[in-house]
Amino acid sequence: MSASSEAIPVETLRWRGGQLELIDQRALPDRLEYVSCTNAAEVAEAIRSMVVRGAPAIGCAAAFGIALEARRQQDRTPREFETAMEAAFRTLAASRPTAVNLFWALERMRGVLAANQDPKSAAAKLAEAALALFLADVETNRAIGRAGAAMVPDGARVLTHCNTGALATAGHGTALGVIRSARDAGKRVSVIASETRPYLQGARLTAWEMIQEKIPVTLITDSMAGHLMSLGRIDLVLVGADRIAANGDVANKIGTYTLAVLAERHRIPFYVAAPLSSIDISSADGSAIPIEERSASEVTGYAGMRWAPEGVNVANPAFDITPAELVSGLFTEKGAVTRPDRRKIRALFPG
Amino acid sequence: MSASSEAIPVETLRWRGGQLELIDQRALPDRLEYVSCTNAAEVAEAIRSMVVRGAPAIGCAAAFGIALEARRQQDRTPREFETAMEAAFRTLAASRPTAVNLFWALERMRGVLAANQDPKSAAAKLAEAALALFLADVETNRAIGRAGAAMVPDGARVLTHCNTGALATAGHGTALGVIRSARDAGKRVSVIASETRPYLQGARLTAWEMIQEKIPVTLITDSMAGHLMSLGRIDLVLVGADRIAANGDVANKIGTYTLAVLAERHRIPFYVAAPLSSIDISSADGSAIPIEERSASEVTGYAGMRWAPEGVNVANPAFDITPAELVSGLFTEKGAVTRPDRRKIRALFPG
């Protein structure tokens, strides 16, 4: 499967049946390289080590990881197959804790597995299901894009955080998808990308994607957002989500909460773009969402260069919680929800 | 001149009469190296290139730069001497625009020069004046430290930004001086140091100074402050200043404004520690303070490593303005001023 380069210029995940190819996002923008995975453990390691990142992309990768493992194990007895697949689900579920799309995708795959006892037919159905999930993600992002683009004024200078583009999804993107859709709808938009320490997804990935798309982009450090708002140089903030609680609280890349507080002070809209698969009704509010703590080495330097002295303590929470009260609007494939709250979020899931 | 290592463990500036030795702060914490300057142009370049940084340290360095140039030119005719010194003042004044201590120190040196027509005696007096200014800065910092330490509760977890320690001053430090003084007064204090992109003064310099002093320090990225406040893990914010306007607005390292906004939301005190020489009565408010825009290369990477793609636009304002309304207290050598405003700041300058 390979989508046309026109529709999806950045092929974050390429499904080759016997293997999953992932852009190595650690190497961007220096090098556009692919990593190949042929089983669930390799996909889990690619997620853990951030070869692939971004909540929807992680979900797709995990689904393909299950499909790969099923194909690899399809000649086993049903009991051996079941044991191997159980291990594969556990390994993938343990790869990263915060983005709920991972667990959502695994749950979908579990449903397919449960409905197919025979290893060979299960493997075929799981491969179909993973591909369907992948293709649906692109359509979902386009629908999010349409919903959000309607809320982006012509000429808007949009501050975004981390990377929520094609690289974070199966294609098009969530928050960056809204920007793409607004541009495609004829609006002039420009992007202010916060670099997003420690992992620099803004500086490396968002800047790169926007340059590919010829959308004007200005890179800032995370500490500059407040200053630019105080000068009137930002019209709205637009971010993605790793998990949205039932009350509308948003877990997203560390630094998102700060941008929401700043936006409120400056009366700038703060929008979140995410698929329904990022909403976790079982998390009552943000305090129920586990926040991943990552390695100290991400903070003491970057890519093998160390600049902090030996002996320093480090905190490295990868996400923070933005309370729903600070969210001006939520863009999903079902449209825009202004001032999201428990009732409005519940209404997105009929039945 | 060399202060005892007990009083000033970090000798940011060493005055040798014929030369000024500066710790090369670009090399810390990897290497503790000194750069020697023998004339005003070399000192100006050291300030511009951030061999030496921190508002009070810049002021001291500039004063020594004038003293060095006067010594170098002292065998000239009075007219030649005057011309050379005028050029030296211009060169130093053009080195960096925001920290007002630079202009304050140059103004003091101009006064000394004006009172001494003979080149040789002017050179001697300027050297004396620079040294006096340097020694007074340490005493000033100790007085700031005493004033501020009284406001720091036992057990306080103090968030600080950039570097305001011995490295930023003639010794002891402003905001870090308050922390040193609180510790010396028997209080248990711990420091959360924001790394302070793009130049990483927090990660490199504050972390290093605190480790030297055996004060517990935890390094975070700038984007993590809001999250830690939301978890109740920060008791107060304590920063320095590059220039304080007549109404109490504070220009300080980019990112300071964001910390003040976050502190207000979380009802955490936000304190500024600075000498009177950082107060610029001629700037009516923050909008009158020039904000230095530095090189794009500081944002697109670090120390020769580039991680942002070619072709990206960059904003790199080195400072921002925190409005006085967000400042809980100002610590100067004349004591603590709670909720500083135009009237209270005016009262710091009698006559």
Side-chain angles (χ1 to χ4, degrees):
Chain A
M1 201 282 338
S2 172
S4 81
S5 68
E6 194 184 351
I8 308 171
V10 176
E11 291 186 300
T12 304
L13 306 100
R14 289 199 298 222
W15 178 236
R16 305 298 196 198
Q19 64 181 32
L20 173 67
E21 296 172 358
L22 299 166
I23 291 182
D24 187 347
Q25 301 194 31
R26 302 169 304 182
L28 285 174
D30 286 351
R31 303 180 306 282
L32 180 57
E33 295 173 350
Y34 281 82
V35 166
S36 285
C37 301
T38 58
N39 60 48
E42 287 175 2
V43 174
E45 177 56 22
I47 294 171
R48 196 200 57 70
S49 65
M50 293 172 75
V51 167
V52 62
R53 30 64 51 202
I58 289 173
C60 291
F64 283 127
I66 290 297
L68 286 172
E69 193 66 28
R71 180 194 174 104
R72 204 167 77 104
Q73 306 287 349
Q74 64 183 345
D75 295 328
R76 308 270 182 178
T77 67
R79 178 166 293 178
E80 287 169 346
F81 182 75
E82 189 188 333
T83 304
M85 291 310 296
E86 194 47 53
F89 275 101
R90 269 202 312 276
T91 301
L92 284 160
S95 59
R96 292 194 73 189
T98 303
V100 76
N101 313 61
L102 172 68
F103 308 105
W104 173 87
L106 291 175
E107 213 43 55
R108 297 272 290 252
M109 298 300 277
R110 263 190 198 282
V112 174
L113 179 62
N116 292 277
Q117 301 297 316
D118 171 62
K120 276 207 167 50
S121 67
K125 291 293 184 190
L126 286 166
E128 272 176 37
L131 187 54
L133 193 142
F134 170 84
L135 293 171
D137 189 57
V138 180
E139 288 315 304
T140 294
N141 288 336
R142 293 195 181 280
I144 293 169
R146 284 190 295 273
M151 308 283 277
V152 175
D154 185 36
R157 297 159 299 176
V158 181
L159 174 66
T160 189
H161 191 55
C162 198
N163 172 268
T164 58
L167 290 167
T169 63
H172 196 66
T174 54
L176 286 192
V178 170
I179 289 164
R180 284 191 165 94
S181 294
R183 190 271 314 268
D184 293 347
K187 290 176 177 172
R188 290 161 302 166
V189 285
S190 58
V191 170
I192 297 98
S194 51
E195 65 176 13
T196 317
R197 276 282 292 156
Y199 211 66
L200 298 165
Q201 293 94 333
R204 296 188 299 112
L205 308 180
T206 296
W208 183 76
E209 278 199 47
M210 293 297 93
I211 288 169
Q212 305 299 307
E213 290 268 359
K214 300 190 171 36
I215 293 173
V217 58
T218 299
L219 177 64
I220 62 171
T221 67
D222 304 316
S223 58
M224 292 172 190
H227 179 61
L228 293 188
M229 288 186 196
S230 76
L231 297 176
R233 286 168 57 183
I234 291 169
D235 299 306
L236 60 94
V237 181
L238 184 51
V239 299
D242 286 84
R243 190 185 302 208
I244 299 172
N247 73 335
D249 289 355
V250 175
N252 192 47
K253 180 54 55 194
I254 189 77
T256 301
Y257 169 60
T258 291
L259 298 180
V261 170
L262 288 167
E264 187 196 41
R265 177 175 170 90
H266 293 280
R267 301 177 196 284
I268 294 167
F270 177 88
Y271 295 127
V272 176
L276 294 184
S277 56
S278 293
I279 299 179
D280 176 21
I281 293 296
S282 75
S283 290
D285 60 33
S287 68
I289 300 177
I291 301 288
E292 177 182 12
E293 180 81 18
R294 292 186 61 87
S295 160
S297 65
E298 290 183 354
V299 173
T300 52
Y302 181 75
M305 180 192 289
R306 184 184 174 108
W307 49 64
E310 296 295 332
V312 71
N313 304 310
V314 169
N316 187 13
F319 305 94
D320 60 25
I321 305 292
T322 299
E325 68 184 83
L326 296 178
V327 179
S328 313
L330 171 62
F331 307 144
T332 79
E333 63 269 40
K334 288 204 179 174
V337 177
T338 56
R339 294 274 157 212
D341 59 20
R342 197 175 298 277
R343 185 185 57 76
K344 292 176 186 172
I345 284 180
R346 185 68 241 168
L348 293 171
F349 299 91
Chain B
M1 200 275 353
S2 173
S4 82
S5 68
E6 194 184 350
I8 308 172
V10 177
E11 291 186 298
T12 304
L13 306 99
R14 289 200 297 223
W15 177 236
R16 305 299 196 197
Q19 64 182 30
L20 173 67
E21 296 172 358
L22 298 166
I23 291 182
D24 187 347
Q25 301 195 31
R26 303 168 305 182
L28 285 174
D30 286 350
R31 303 181 308 281
L32 180 57
E33 295 173 350
Y34 281 82
V35 167
S36 285
C37 301
T38 58
N39 60 47
E42 286 175 2
V43 173
E45 178 55 24
I47 294 172
R48 197 201 57 72
S49 65
M50 292 172 76
V51 166
V52 61
R53 29 63 54 200
I58 289 173
C60 291
F64 283 128
I66 290 296
L68 286 172
E69 194 65 28
R71 181 193 174 102
R72 205 167 77 102
Q73 306 288 349
Q74 65 184 343
D75 295 329
R76 307 268 181 179
T77 67
R79 179 167 293 180
E80 287 169 347
F81 182 74
E82 189 188 333
T83 304
M85 291 311 295
E86 194 47 52
F89 276 102
R90 270 202 311 275
T91 301
L92 283 161
S95 60
R96 292 193 74 188
T98 303
V100 77
N101 313 62
L102 172 67
F103 308 103
W104 173 87
L106 291 175
E107 212 44 53
R108 297 274 289 253
M109 299 299 278
R110 263 190 198 283
V112 174
L113 179 62
N116 293 276
Q117 301 297 316
D118 171 62
K120 275 206 167 52
S121 67
K125 292 293 183 188
L126 287 167
E128 271 175 38
L131 187 54
L133 193 143
F134 171 84
L135 293 171
D137 189 57
V138 180
E139 289 314 305
T140 295
N141 288 335
R142 294 196 180 281
I144 294 169
R146 284 190 296 275
M151 308 283 277
V152 175
D154 186 35
R157 297 159 298 176
V158 181
L159 174 65
T160 190
H161 192 55
C162 198
N163 172 268
T164 58
L167 289 167
T169 62
H172 196 67
T174 54
L176 286 192
V178 170
I179 289 164
R180 285 191 164 95
S181 294
R183 190 272 314 269
D184 293 346
K187 290 176 178 174
R188 289 161 303 166
V189 285
S190 58
V191 170
I192 297 98
S194 50
E195 65 177 12
T196 318
R197 277 281 293 154
Y199 211 68
L200 298 165
Q201 293 94 332
R204 297 187 299 111
L205 308 180
T206 296
W208 183 77
E209 278 200 46
M210 293 296 92
I211 288 168
Q212 305 298 308
E213 290 268 357
K214 299 189 169 39
I215 294 174
V217 58
T218 299
L219 177 64
I220 62 171
T221 67
D222 303 316
S223 58
M224 293 172 188
H227 179 60
L228 293 188
M229 287 186 197
S230 76
L231 297 176
R233 286 168 57 185
I234 290 169
D235 299 305
L236 61 94
V237 181
L238 183 50
V239 298
D242 286 83
R243 190 185 303 209
I244 300 173
N247 73 334
D249 289 355
V250 175
N252 192 46
K253 180 52 54 193
I254 189 78
T256 301
Y257 169 61
T258 291
L259 298 180
V261 170
L262 289 166
E264 187 196 41
R265 178 176 170 89
H266 293 280
R267 300 176 196 283
I268 294 167
F270 177 87
Y271 296 126
V272 176
L276 294 186
S277 56
S278 293
I279 299 178
D280 176 21
I281 293 295
S282 74
S283 291
D285 59 35
S287 69
I289 300 177
I291 301 288
E292 178 182 11
E293 181 82 17
R294 292 184 62 86
S295 160
S297 65
E298 291 184 353
V299 173
T300 53
Y302 180 74
M305 181 192 288
R306 185 185 173 107
W307 49 63
E310 297 294 332
V312 70
N313 304 311
V314 169
N316 187 12
F319 304 94
D320 60 23
I321 305 292
T322 299
E325 67 183 84
L326 296 178
V327 179
S328 313
L330 170 63
F331 307 144
T332 78
E333 63 268 40
K334 289 205 179 171
V337 177
T338 56
R339 294 276 156 212
D341 60 19
R342 196 175 299 275
R343 186 185 56 77
K344 292 176 185 172
I345 285 180
R346 185 67 241 169
L348 293 170
F349 299 90

